[in-house]
């Protein structure tokens, strides 16, 4: 067996019950492994008043540019009811050529594949034409406040330059090789409260019903599509996810009505431009209805796109050679930490098959583990040629 065998590394990592934001030893384990390969490892702990301290790792070998970085996370989502699993989620088991365990595809095994690929690469290349680095966080699945975002700020402060980043999130819907993500949509959430006047339902002229204004606002925000999408992005979409009025009495006009919604948006918009549009829509209706409103926005990152240049094309060719699949470039799905890293480096995201991520009996095929390691290894060889 190889010293840095991807299957063994995957199993070792899955055994740490690193349910977000708990680290459970996973970051130290990786740091030790990377030190053995000659990496310079820096464990970065960040915290704030509201959230617990999070361990992150930045490791680098080589001091020349270009610096090719691999980014990932060791935290996992909770397993849910353990009784629903066919195995203990933190005691990985192989069944029918699949490795089962929490983090098997999102994304401990991907980290294992890259680590294995790097160890192989270093065995055959005593000198690198540049540097390889790892940016690993323990805070991706939850708040992502003390994770990659702060590591990126730290790297900027230290003038540490990354030339290209591979994010190892699971990107393939069904088969390894189907999808490279070259960007992500942005996400903006909003809580809106309309403040009217309470009153008797028989005397509506003596009160101001907030429900009427709320409905008018919802209709206005939803009636016109935000855009039609473009070559790399699907159309942006605003979706209402809740409407609340705390009132049980049929004869009372309530004082308040609330709604919440989320927008997944493409590169036609920014959080700032959307906020402006939303506020002006609400203001015009509230002004007409002589009613007050309170609004709160929650941003989780603007949309971004890495134009498919030479490195992405090179990765696509390697993926095709190894998987025999013609990869598509995509920007679909949820957000990832690439939204922070794009501030300092172009990113491509490619990892395992995401069919079972966050589910009971999360699993990865053993042959995919081998193939992904090979893909990552070939990318290293080509990149530093
Ligand atoms: Zn993930």
């Amino acid at each position: 067996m190889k010293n840095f065998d991807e299957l063994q590394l995957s199993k070792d990592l899955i055994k740490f019950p690193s349910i977000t934001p708990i680290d459970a030893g996973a970051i130290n384990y990786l740091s030790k492994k990377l030190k053995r390969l000659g990496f310079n490892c820096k464990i970065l702990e960040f915290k704030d008043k509201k959230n617990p301290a999070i361990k992150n790792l930045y490791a680098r070998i080589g001091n020349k540019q270009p610096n090719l970085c691999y980014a990932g996370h060791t935290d996992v989502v909770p397993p849910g009811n353990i009784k629903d699993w066919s195995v203990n989620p933190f005691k990985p088991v192989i069944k029918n050529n699949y490795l089962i365990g929490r983090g098997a595809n999102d994304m401990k095994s991907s980290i294992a594949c890259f680590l294995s690929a790097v160890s192989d690469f270093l065995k055959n290349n005593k000198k690198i034409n540049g540097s390889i680095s790892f940016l690993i966080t323990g805070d991706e699945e939850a708040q992502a406040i003390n994770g990659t975002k702060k590591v990126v700020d730290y790297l900027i402060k230290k003038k540490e330059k990354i030339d290209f980043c591979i994010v190892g999130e699971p990107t393939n819907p069904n088969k390894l090789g189907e999808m490279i993500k070259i960007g992500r949509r942005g996400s903006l959430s909003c809580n809106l409260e309309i403040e009217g006047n309470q009153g008797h339902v028989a005397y509506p002229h003596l009160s101001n019903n907030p429900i009427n204004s709320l409905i008018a606002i919802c209709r206005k925000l939803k009636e016109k599509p935000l855009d039609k999408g473009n070559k790399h992005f699907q159309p942006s979409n605003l979706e209402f996810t809740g409407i609340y009025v705390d009132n049980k009495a049929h004869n009372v006009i309530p004082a308040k009505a609330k709604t919440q919604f989320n927008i997944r948006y493409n590169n036609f918009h920014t959080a700032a431009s959307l906020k402006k549009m939303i506020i002006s829509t609400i203001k015009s209706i509230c002004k007409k209805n002589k009613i007050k409103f309170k609004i709160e926005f929650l941003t989780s990152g603007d949309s971004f796109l890495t134009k498919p240049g030479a490195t992405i094309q090179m990765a696509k060719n390697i993926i095709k050679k190894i998987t025999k699949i013609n990869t598509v470039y995509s920007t679909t799905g949820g957000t990832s930490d690439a939204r922070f890293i794009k501030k300092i480096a172009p990113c491509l995201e490619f990892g395992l098959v995401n069919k079972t991520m966050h589910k009971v009996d999360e699993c990865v095929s053993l042959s995919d583990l081998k193939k992904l390691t090979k893909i990552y290894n070939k990318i290293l060889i080509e990149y530093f040629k």
Side-chain angles (χ1 to χ4, degrees):
M1 201 198 278
K2 285 187 285 177
N3 214 346
F4 278 76
D5 176 69
E6 60 278 359
L7 177 58
Q8 190 55 48
L9 292 167
S10 302
K11 284 188 192 164
D12 287 353
L13 282 168
I14 291 170
K15 280 180 197 158
F16 295 104
S18 51
I19 301 169
T20 192
I22 300 163
D23 167 66
I27 292 279
N28 273 337
Y29 168 88
L30 276 179
S31 171
K32 262 190 208 155
K33 286 277 174 192
L34 286 163
K35 269 184 195 155
R36 267 179 56 194
L37 289 176
F39 275 78
N40 224 319
C41 296
K42 179 103 186 142
I43 291 182
L44 301 156
E45 220 173 79
F46 298 117
K47 60 178 175 184
D48 61 308
K49 275 183 196 143
K50 279 193 207 149
N51 299 286
I54 299 289
K55 267 192 182 159
N56 302 278
L57 172 68
Y58 181 71
R60 177 171 176 165
I61 189 166
N63 41 30
K64 282 187 286 184
Q65 302 298 130
N67 178 10
L68 177 65
C69 181
Y70 172 89
H73 61 88
T74 48
D75 60 329
V76 294
V77 292
N81 190 350
I82 291 188
K83 282 191 187 135
D84 294 339
W85 286 67
S86 70
V87 304
N88 181 317
F90 301 106
K91 286 188 182 143
V93 170
I94 294 170
K95 273 189 195 173
N96 305 322
N97 294 316
Y98 278 84
L99 175 69
I100 309 174
R102 178 54 89 223
N105 63 55
D106 186 11
M107 56 170 286
K108 287 175 167 174
S109 306
S110 164
I111 299 174
C113 292
F114 200 83
L115 189 51
S116 173
V118 167
S119 97
D120 230 49
F121 175 78
L122 292 175
K123 222 185 296 164
N124 301 319
N125 299 273
K126 293 280 171 275
K127 272 193 185 150
I128 320 166
N129 286 329
S131 309
I132 303 169
S133 54
F134 281 78
L135 192 174
I136 307 291
T137 180
D139 183 21
E140 195 273 342
E141 296 288 6
Q143 302 295 333
I145 290 168
N146 292 306
T148 302
K149 189 171 188 249
K150 289 197 177 167
V151 179
V152 165
D153 290 342
Y154 166 88
L155 296 177
I156 292 171
K157 216 173 79 191
K158 291 279 170 195
K159 299 200 165 62
E160 178 77 14
K161 202 170 167 272
I162 292 172
D163 295 273
F164 197 87
C165 185
I166 298 169
V167 181
E169 288 285 357
T171 48
N172 303 285
N174 291 295
K175 278 188 185 149
L176 187 80
E178 284 173 330
M179 195 176 276
I180 292 179
K181 297 217 171 160
I182 55 165
R184 293 274 186 163
R185 289 180 297 171
S187 171
L188 176 71
S189 291
C190 177
N191 294 319
L192 171 67
E193 183 179 298
I194 308 294
E195 288 182 272
N197 286 319
Q198 191 179 309
H200 195 300
V201 79
Y203 304 91
H205 56 287
L206 297 179
S207 57
N208 193 342
N209 191 344
I211 296 175
N212 300 336
S213 299
L214 190 79
I215 288 173
I217 289 165
C218 291
R219 183 186 293 140
K220 188 87 194 161
L221 286 175
K222 193 70 191 165
E223 92 192 336
K224 205 174 127 224
L226 290 162
D227 55 70
K228 288 187 180 144
N230 56 36
K231 190 178 165 216
H232 291 296
F233 283 96
Q234 59 197 110
S236 304
N237 181 51
L238 182 154
E239 208 59 41
F240 285 96
T241 52
I243 289 183
Y244 314 96
V245 179
D246 188 15
N247 177 31
K248 295 243 159 43
H250 287 90
N251 58 353
V252 173
I253 290 171
K256 283 178 186 171
K258 296 179 195 175
T259 184
Q260 62 178 37
F261 58 89
N262 176 271
I263 302 177
R264 292 297 156 115
Y265 58 94
N266 57 35
N267 57 352
F268 285 131
H269 312 271
T270 61
S273 72
L274 288 167
K275 280 182 198 171
K276 213 171 139 193
M277 177 278 288
I278 291 163
I279 288 176
S280 103
T281 304
I282 296 169
K283 264 191 181 160
S284 79
I285 290 170
C286 287
K287 196 177 167 198
K288 203 175 87 201
N289 294 353
K290 295 193 177 71
I291 203 161
K292 285 192 281 191
F293 71 94
K294 266 192 216 155
I295 195 158
E296 178 193 24
F297 290 104
L298 303 115
T299 333
S300 77
D302 268 328
S303 84
F304 70 94
L305 179 73
T306 304
K307 290 257 163 67
T311 306
I312 292 179
Q313 188 59 47
M314 171 267 278
K316 184 182 161 98
N317 293 341
I318 289 169
I319 292 165
K320 186 164 186 194
K321 227 179 222 164
I322 291 169
T323 65
K324 313 275 180 273
I325 293 174
N326 218 344
T327 312
V328 297
Y329 298 141
S330 169
T331 56
T332 55
T335 60
S336 81
D337 275 359
R339 71 187 191 266
F340 305 126
I341 302 166
K342 58 113 189 189
K343 216 166 127 181
I344 53 170
C347 298
L348 85 77
E349 294 183 62
F350 185 72
L352 291 157
V353 172
N354 60 25
K355 215 162 47 178
T356 61
M357 71 174 169
H358 296 202
K359 289 188 180 173
V360 159
D361 278 0
E362 178 178 344
C363 62
V364 61
S365 107
L366 299 187
S367 83
D368 281 358
L369 282 183
K370 281 205 180 109
K371 280 185 204 158
L372 184 61
T373 306
K374 225 178 183 176
I375 290 167
Y376 285 156
N377 184 261
K378 290 271 180 299
I379 290 176
L380 287 164
I381 294 170
E382 280 295 318
Y383 190 81
F384 292 111
K385 218 151 99 181

